[in-house]
Structure formats: C-alpha cells, structure tokens
Amino acid sequence: MDGLTLGAIYALIALGYTLVYGVLRLINFAHSEIFMIGVFASLFAVHALGIDVGDPAKTGFVLAASLIVVMVVAMLASGVTAVVMERVAYRPLRRRGAPRLAALITAVGISLFLQELFAIRYGREVLGFPRLMEKRQLFELWGANVRTDKVLVLVSALLLMLALDRFVARSRLGRGIRATAQDSETAALMGVNIDRVIMLTFLLGGLLAGAAGTLYGLFFEAARYNIGFLPGIKAFTAAVLGGIGNIRGALAGGLLLGLLENWGSAVLGGEWKDVFAFTVLVLVLMFRPTGLLGESLGRARA
Amino acid sequence: MLLELEDVRVHYGKVEALKGVSLQVDEGEIVTLVGGNGAGKTTTLKTISGLRPVTSGSVRFDDRPISGLAPYRIVRLGLCQSPEGRGVFPGMTVMENLEMGAYARSGRGRPALRPDLERVFGLFPRLAERRNQAGGTLSGGEQQMLAIGRALMARPRMVLLDEPSMGLATMLVTQIFDILAEINRQGTTLLLVEQNAAQALRLAHRAYVLETGRVVRSAAAADLLDDESVKSAYLGGDVEAGVGEGDGDAEGGGDGDPSASSVP
C-alpha cells in the first residue's frame, strides 16, 4: 500500500516531465522544484486556514473543504510557477534557436536557484505539517495496511491522472498537444499556436505537480527546501520506466516504481530503497531505453 | 494577385537558401514550382507558411504582408499547406487527422465539420473507409490523400502542396493530380512544388523553374513542357521517376521524427 501511494505521487510528478518532453524534447529538471513549491504552498494554505500543529484532525465536510482549498492553492502556485519559468527561461532560448544542451543546463540552473531561494527564505530545516486528517487503519488487505490517508492520496491521484488523460485524448487543445508532440512543424501548419501549446503543457504539468505536493504533504507531513529532489528524480525515473513522452507510461511507471521500491526496501532493508530505485533507472536505460510502453505522447490515443 | 513574393531571401545559418525569389499566383490558378533537389522549392513553401524567417524581401497574401506572422496566423488567413513527406500524424486516426486540419477554425465541434468531411470523403472515398484507422498504418497513397484532404478542412483560399507525387506509383500520381484539378475547379488556388515536372506541368497553368535559390524561368506551363532545355534538364526520364518505389507502403509520416517509424 505504501508502494502504491508513493507510486501515485511519483506518477503525478512524472506526468509533468513526460508532457514537456513530449512537445519540447526537453527534460525539465526544474520540475522537481515545481513540486517543492506545491508542498510549500500547501503548507502555507494549511496555515492560512488557521490549522496548526497539534490541532485536532478534521473530519467530514470541513476536512473535504480544507483539502480541496489547499490542493487548489498548491496547484495554482505550481502551475503559475511552471508557466513563468517557461516564459522567462525557456522561451527566449527557443526563440534564438539555442541548442538543447543550453535548455538542459538552464533547467538545472533554475532548479538550484529555486532551492536556494526557498532555503534562504524559509531556512534549511524541516518544517512540520499540521495533521489535516486522522490516519486511521481501515482494514488489512493481504497483509497491506490500508489507511485513510493512503486511500485518499491514491484515489485523488488516479482521478487527476484520468482527467488529464481524457483532456489530452478528447479536447481540442489536447489534440493540439498530441499533434505538436508528433510533428510540431506540421502542427503549426494546421493552425496550432505552438507557443500556446508549450505553455499549456507546462501549466498542466505544474498543476499536477502542485496536487502531488499537497498529497505528499498530507502523507509525509514535512516541507523542506530540497524536498523536491528525491521525488523529482524518482518521478523522472518513473517517466523513463514507462516510456518518456507517454502519458499512460508515466502512470504505469510511477505505480510500478513505487511498488518495486517498496518491495526492494522490504527485502534489502529500508536504507536500500533509493539505491534500488536508481538501479531500476540504470537498468531500464540499458536494456529498454524507450521504456516499457515506448515513447510518444502522440500515440496515447483515446 | 492572391500571393506575391518579392525578392525573398532566406538563410539557414550563413547559407543563403533563397537568393531573391519573386513569384506571383493569381486567384484561381494552379502554379507549379519545378526544379531539382536543393533548388529551394521546399524552403519557398516553408517561408510562405511562416516556418522560416525571411532575411529580406516581402511575402504578401491577399495584399497583406505575411512575412513575420506566426504560422498559425497565416493558416487563419486561408493559406494552408500539405507539407513535404505528407506530415500525417501517425498516432491519430484518419478522422482525428482531418479534424486537425480544421483546428484553425476554432472550437466548433464535429457537426460543424460535417460538410467539409463529406467533401473530403467525396474526393477521397478511400479515406472514408479508413476513417478510424491510425494515420501511420495507411499506405503512402492514402497518406497523401489524407494530407491533401486535411489541408482542405480549413476551407482555405489557397493550398501549398509540397511534392504530392513523392514515392507514389505513376497511376496513383495521375489519380491524385486529377483530384487536384477538381479541387482547383471547385475554387481553391494551388501552388504546387514538384520534382515530377512532367506531371506538374500538365496540371498547372503557369510554372516557375527554380535553380539554386533563384527563379531562372517563368512561363505558361504548356510552353515549358515543349521547351527543349527544360525537357533535357527536368523531363528526361522524370515521368518514370516515381515508378519502382512502390506506393511507399512502408513509409510512416517520416520527417525525421524517430517515433514515426515504429507504427503500432
């Protein structure tokens, strides 16, 4: 159950990598900080709602309403950050026809910039998250501990991913994204405004990363300036595992990585968890560089 | 004058690909641009569509300067292109590809596209049969039909066609060129780029001959067809050039996108 919960969070973040890679062939390494901002925004939203550490956990309607408010705030914060990042950092590079390497280095630069910015502003210590909901065991399923918060994380992540999948498969803008991913020059000849599609993919990726931030905060109850690093790079692993550029691949890759990692830590011990996860990355790149489901956002058909 | 290029120069880095191209297309005409490999035919079309920036010179469509406009804005003015290599979206169905053609006509749903779909399916009945098939699984000829049909979905005043005969058997080329003539009769102006000069000259009203980024001749198409120097340069055996390549079944949407080759 822990594996699936974490995996769902990885998958949400992985979608941001995959969407942007699909249309720009760029690994946006600063995406982990978009997620980090989602965690911080959730924390601030929780405080703004007047919930403090040690307060009794919320239930029923109050819980649902505050969760939704917090998540919307986090999604907006991350979404806007992603769009601004694209505008000020990547678009000027694209306009000048800069090589992809320049964009990649820029991504790493923005990532460090945002981390340090948050470190200076909010310190380098872990900030505690007030407990929003009671973490009660619902039942046990084949030895797995099914807990309320895990169910909530898993269900909301799946709903968001389903919404994204439908949007890309069905809507006009979604079709624009797929066309751009398959052949951006021809897409432009069909009347697709490529800049707008790129902005949209950053926005969508940011929204999902923000939601992942809220779920992460709910689950781990911690925020820190570098909190995005590990989940970010694991989400990247998940995206590669499923086939980068492939929406359903990101979903499958995230859940699979969460399960594998959990299984690895059960067998080898918890301290081996990260070693195990990144061994998976190296092995996938070695033996199946296009991932389990292969590349192509475009082929993620209805 | 519907389309007018005046002394257009285009650079790829330091290399000058177009060295001052001037040409005109009148409303209702079929004009063809013939020339060998690297003459600048595709670059000319890409420049008109706004995919390549002009260094100097002007491109005017319907008396409006369009050089410097983003490609999607040019499409909205009614100037569409069926690109080189067809540019069929391999992961989309025939239907979705056609709907992409109408993308510029904004958020109208399927009902609004009905008459256009009927027109395209009328011209290309094969596409109607294959409407739910992925673009990447079509044969070369079907992909070409799809590319032309898709361009028509925008209800354009003018269509630019980049080598519609590429990789197709002669019989298929004849069939497609007949349909192009029909499209023109229905009122759409065509600018056709071709290496298959004989076929193109038979279809077109007027022609320009392009050589290394310059227009070296312009004349009525029929005159060039009879011209000895043009015959030896562009028509020698050219009629047969398409034969033997089959109808390009194995080719995906192929334009350098590595994912296009692996069709599900």
Side-chain angles (χ1 to χ4, degrees), chain B residues 93-95 98 117-118 120-135 137-139 142 145-146 175:
Chain B
T93 63
V94 168
M95 237 2 212
L98 290 173
L117 285 170
E118 270 165 20
V120 171
F121 289 151
L123 289 167
F124 304 106
R126 281 293 278 282
L127 295 182
E129 292 165 28
R130 304 240 186 277
R131 67 176 79 194
N132 293 319
Q133 208 170 309
T137 65
L138 300 180
S139 75
E142 288 163 349
M145 295 175 192
L146 181 53
Q175 197 186 330

Coordinates of all heavy atoms in Angstrom, one line a residue, chain B residues 93-95 98 117-118 120-135 137-139 142 145-146 175:
Chain B
T93 N -6.1 8.9 -35.7 CA -6.9 8.3 -36.7 C -7.1 9.2 -37.9 O -6.7 10.4 -37.8 CB -8.2 7.9 -36.2 OG1 -8.9 9.1 -35.8 CG2 -8.2 7.0 -34.9
V94 N -7.6 8.7 -39.0 CA -7.8 9.5 -40.2 C -8.8 10.6 -39.8 O -8.6 11.8 -40.1 CB -8.5 8.6 -41.3 CG1 -9.1 9.4 -42.4 CG2 -7.4 7.6 -41.8
M95 N -9.8 10.3 -39.0 CA -10.8 11.3 -38.5 C -10.1 12.4 -37.8 O -10.3 13.6 -38.0 CB -11.7 10.6 -37.6 CG -13.2 10.6 -37.9 SD -13.8 11.4 -39.3 CE -15.3 11.9 -38.6
L98 N -8.1 14.7 -39.9 CA -8.9 15.6 -40.6 C -9.4 16.7 -39.7 O -9.4 17.9 -40.1 CB -10.1 14.9 -41.3 CG -9.7 14.0 -42.4 CD1 -10.9 13.2 -42.9 CD2 -9.2 14.8 -43.6
L117 N -16.2 17.3 -44.1 CA -15.8 15.9 -44.1 C -16.4 15.2 -45.3 O -15.8 14.4 -46.0 CB -16.3 15.2 -42.8 CG -15.5 15.5 -41.6 CD1 -16.2 15.0 -40.3 CD2 -14.1 14.9 -41.7
E118 N -17.7 15.6 -45.6 CA -18.4 15.0 -46.8 C -17.6 15.3 -48.1 O -17.5 14.5 -48.9 CB -19.8 15.4 -46.8 CG -20.7 14.5 -46.0 CD -22.1 15.0 -45.8 OE1 -22.5 16.0 -46.5 OE2 -22.7 14.5 -44.8
V120 N -14.4 16.0 -48.4 CA -13.1 15.3 -48.5 C -13.4 13.8 -48.8 O -12.7 13.2 -49.6 CB -12.4 15.4 -47.1 CG1 -11.2 14.5 -47.1 CG2 -11.9 16.9 -47.0
F121 N -14.4 13.2 -48.1 CA -14.7 11.8 -48.4 C -15.2 11.6 -49.8 O -15.1 10.6 -50.4 CB -15.7 11.3 -47.3 CG -15.1 11.1 -45.9 CD1 -15.9 11.2 -44.8 CD2 -13.8 10.9 -45.8 CE1 -15.3 11.1 -43.5 CE2 -13.2 10.7 -44.5 CZ -14.0 10.8 -43.4
G122 N -15.9 12.7 -50.3 CA -16.3 12.6 -51.7 C -15.2 12.6 -52.7 O -15.2 11.8 -53.7
L123 N -14.2 13.4 -52.4 CA -13.0 13.4 -53.2 C -12.1 12.1 -53.0 O -11.5 11.6 -54.0 CB -12.1 14.6 -52.9 CG -12.7 16.0 -53.3 CD1 -11.9 17.1 -52.6 CD2 -12.6 16.2 -54.8
F124 N -12.0 11.7 -51.8 CA -11.2 10.5 -51.5 C -12.0 9.5 -50.7 O -12.0 9.4 -49.5 CB -10.0 10.9 -50.6 CG -9.2 12.0 -51.2 CD1 -9.2 13.3 -50.7 CD2 -8.3 11.7 -52.2 CE1 -8.4 14.3 -51.2 CE2 -7.4 12.7 -52.7 CZ -7.5 14.0 -52.2
P125 N -12.8 8.7 -51.5 CA -13.6 7.7 -50.8 C -12.8 6.7 -49.9 O -13.3 6.2 -48.9 CB -14.3 6.9 -52.0 CG -14.1 7.8 -53.1 CD -12.9 8.6 -52.9
R126 N -11.6 6.5 -50.3 CA -10.7 5.6 -49.5 C -10.6 6.0 -48.1 O -10.5 5.2 -47.1 CB -9.3 5.5 -50.1 CG -9.2 4.6 -51.3 CD -9.4 3.2 -50.9 NE -8.2 2.5 -50.4 CZ -7.2 2.1 -51.2 NH1 -7.2 2.3 -52.5 NH2 -6.1 1.6 -50.6
L127 N -10.5 7.4 -47.9 CA -10.4 7.9 -46.5 C -11.6 7.6 -45.7 O -11.5 7.3 -44.5 CB -10.1 9.4 -46.5 CG -8.8 9.8 -47.2 CD1 -8.7 11.4 -47.1 CD2 -7.6 9.2 -46.5
A128 N -12.8 7.6 -46.3 CA -14.0 7.3 -45.5 C -13.9 5.8 -45.0 O -14.3 5.6 -43.9 CB -15.2 7.5 -46.4
E129 N -13.4 4.9 -45.9 CA -13.3 3.5 -45.5 C -12.4 3.4 -44.3 O -12.5 2.5 -43.5 CB -12.8 2.7 -46.6 CG -13.7 2.5 -47.8 CD -13.0 2.0 -49.0 OE1 -12.0 1.3 -48.8 OE2 -13.4 2.3 -50.1
R130 N -11.3 4.2 -44.3 CA -10.3 4.1 -43.3 C -10.4 5.1 -42.1 O -9.5 5.3 -41.4 CB -8.9 4.3 -43.9 CG -8.6 3.4 -45.1 CD -7.4 2.6 -44.9 NE -7.0 1.8 -46.0 CZ -7.5 0.7 -46.4 NH1 -8.5 0.2 -45.6 NH2 -7.1 0.0 -47.4
R131 N -11.6 5.6 -41.9 CA -11.7 6.8 -41.0 C -11.2 6.5 -39.6 O -10.7 7.4 -38.9 CB -13.1 7.4 -41.0 CG -14.1 6.4 -40.4 CD -15.5 7.1 -40.4 NE -16.1 7.1 -41.7 CZ -17.1 7.9 -42.1 NH1 -17.6 8.8 -41.2 NH2 -17.7 7.8 -43.3
N132 N -11.3 5.3 -39.1 CA -10.9 5.0 -37.7 C -9.5 4.3 -37.6 O -9.1 3.9 -36.6 CB -12.0 4.1 -37.0 CG -13.3 4.9 -36.9 OD1 -13.2 6.1 -36.5 ND2 -14.4 4.2 -37.2
Q133 N -8.8 4.3 -38.8 CA -7.5 3.7 -38.7 C -6.5 4.8 -38.4 O -6.6 5.9 -38.8 CB -7.3 3.2 -40.2 CG -6.3 2.0 -40.2 CD -6.4 1.4 -41.6 OE1 -7.4 1.1 -42.2 NE2 -5.2 1.2 -42.2
A134 N -5.4 4.3 -37.7 CA -4.3 5.3 -37.4 C -3.6 5.7 -38.7 O -3.4 4.9 -39.6 CB -3.3 4.6 -36.4
G135 N -3.3 7.0 -38.7 CA -2.6 7.6 -39.9 C -1.3 6.9 -40.3 O -1.0 6.7 -41.4
T137 N -0.7 3.8 -40.2 CA -0.9 2.5 -40.8 C -1.4 2.6 -42.2 O -1.6 1.6 -42.9 CB -1.9 1.6 -40.0 OG1 -3.2 2.3 -40.1 CG2 -1.5 1.5 -38.5
L138 N -1.6 3.8 -42.7 CA -2.1 3.9 -44.1 C -0.9 3.7 -45.1 O 0.2 3.9 -44.8 CB -2.6 5.4 -44.3 CG -3.8 5.8 -43.5 CD1 -4.2 7.2 -43.8 CD2 -5.0 4.9 -43.6
S139 N -1.3 3.4 -46.3 CA -0.3 3.3 -47.4 C 0.1 4.7 -47.8 O -0.5 5.7 -47.4 CB -0.8 2.6 -48.6 OG -1.7 3.4 -49.3
E142 N -2.6 6.6 -49.6 CA -3.7 7.0 -48.7 C -3.2 8.2 -47.8 O -4.0 9.1 -47.5 CB -4.1 5.9 -47.8 CG -4.9 4.8 -48.6 CD -4.9 3.5 -47.9 OE1 -4.2 3.3 -46.9 OE2 -5.7 2.6 -48.3
M145 N -3.4 11.3 -49.8 CA -4.8 11.8 -49.9 C -5.2 12.4 -48.6 O -5.9 13.5 -48.6 CB -5.8 10.5 -50.1 CG -5.5 9.9 -51.4 SD -6.6 8.4 -51.5 CE -5.9 7.6 -53.0
L146 N -4.8 11.8 -47.4 CA -5.2 12.4 -46.1 C -4.5 13.8 -46.0 O -5.2 14.7 -45.5 CB -4.7 11.4 -45.0 CG -5.0 11.9 -43.6 CD1 -6.5 12.2 -43.4 CD2 -4.6 10.8 -42.6
Q175 N -4.0 9.8 -60.5 CA -5.2 9.9 -59.8 C -5.3 11.1 -58.9 O -6.2 11.9 -58.9 CB -5.4 8.6 -59.0 CG -6.8 8.3 -58.5 CD -6.8 7.1 -57.6 OE1 -5.9 6.2 -57.8 NE2 -7.7 7.1 -56.7

